Amino acid sequence: SSTLFASLVIRGLALGALNTKTQRNFLTREVKMAFALSSILSVAGFLRASLFGTPFPEAIAVTVSLYVIVFTSICLGAVLPLGLKRIGVDPAHSSTTIQVLMDILGVMLTVIFSALLLDTSVGKFLISRLTATSPY
C-alpha cells in the first residue's frame, strides 16, 4: 500500500497537481485514508486469526501490529516523496526506500507490540480486561 500512495504523490508532483497550496488537503485526505484502511484491514486480520484458532491475546497483538503497520505505511507513502523533493532528491526514489523501511519497520513493530501486549504486566492487564479473566 505504501508504494501505491508514493506513486500517487509522485504523479501529483510530476503533473503539478500537488503543490504547496494543495499539500495540506492532500495530507489530511491521506491520514483519513490511513485510518480507514488500517481499521478495515485490522478487522479482517483479527477475523482471520480468530478463524484459524489463534489464541485471543496473540490475535489482539497481531491486530494492533497490523493496524500500526498499515497506518505507518500509508503515511510514509504520502510523506516520504514530499520530504525527498524538499531536500532536492528525486521523489521517485521513495518507492524502493519505502519498501525497505516498511520491511524493517513491520518486523520491529510486530515484535514491539507483541512484547508489550504479551510480556508486560500492563499488556496482560489490558488483555485480561478484554477477555474478562484474570491475568494471573
Side-chain angles (χ1 to χ4, degrees), residues 16-17 21 38 52 55 68 95 121 128:
K21 292 180 182 178
S38 298
F52 280 83
V68 174
S95 293
S121 57
S128 72

Side-chain angles (χ1 to χ4, degrees), residues 80-104:
L80 190 59
L82 297 172
L84 289 178
K85 182 180 181 200
R86 183 165 284 167
I87 63 171
V89 177
D90 184 3
H93 293 296
S94 63
S95 293
T96 54
T97 304
I98 290 171
Q99 289 174 348
V100 171
L101 283 174
M102 287 315 303
D103 285 346
I104 295 167

